Amino acid sequence: MKKENVVREKSFRFAIRIIRLYQYLKDRQKEYVLSKQLLRSGTSVGANIREADNAESKADFIHKMGIAQKEVDETMYWLELLKETDYLLENEFVSIHKDADELLKLIRSIIITAKANR
């Protein structure tokens, strides 16, 4: 039986939410530039976590998780910008931003632990 990987699962679910939000912004709000940036950074998180799972060394693992951390933070920036420019309502923003913040904290914790265990 395969061991559950919480950060991998959360990042995958987050990417799905980002893709659906991108579709909403593009189709309903007719917003194409910011939403594309959001799509790129939001789906990159899980991709970098997957790469970290296959890291060649502890340093490589920490590096890939560091990139994932940066991508989550960038995603939060685009979400904040979309909210402040009225493309997202407060309740739409709060839900997905909360998920991003939880993911960011989880990734930071993993990096700190990995550095301590070097």
Side-chain angles (χ1 to χ4, degrees), residues 11-116:
S11 64
F12 185 77
R13 294 283 160 228
F14 183 71
I16 291 169
R17 286 195 74 190
I18 291 293
I19 291 166
R20 289 184 177 144
L21 178 56
Y22 167 75
Q23 291 167 334
Y24 163 78
L25 290 166
K26 184 175 61 77
D27 297 343
R28 298 241 172 88
Q29 298 284 29
K30 304 300 182 207
E31 198 301 309
Y32 304 101
V33 178
L34 300 176
S35 59
K36 191 68 157 190
Q37 292 292 119
L38 176 74
L39 179 66
R40 287 181 179 149
S41 64
T43 56
S44 177
V45 177
N48 280 290
I49 289 170
R50 290 267 178 117
E51 284 188 41
D53 280 348
N54 296 295
E56 296 174 6
S57 65
K58 183 68 85 172
D60 188 33
F61 174 82
I62 292 167
H63 176 71
K64 296 287 195 284
M65 291 302 287
I67 294 170
Q69 176 182 284
K70 290 177 185 180
E71 294 294 338
V72 175
D73 195 45
E74 179 182 338
T75 301
M76 292 171 79
Y77 171 80
W78 296 120
L79 289 168
E80 291 160 9
L81 203 53
L82 286 161
K83 180 184 81 96
E84 292 300 319
T85 54
D86 299 320
Y87 284 105
L88 288 178
L89 299 174
E90 182 71 23
N91 64 326
E92 295 167 330
F93 167 79
V94 168
S95 174
I96 197 160
H97 194 269
K98 181 178 175 268
D99 282 355
D101 190 48
E102 288 175 10
L103 198 50
L104 182 63
K105 288 175 183 174
L106 182 57
I107 292 167
R108 281 184 177 155
S109 175
I110 290 167
I111 292 169
I112 290 167
T113 302
K115 285 180 177 179

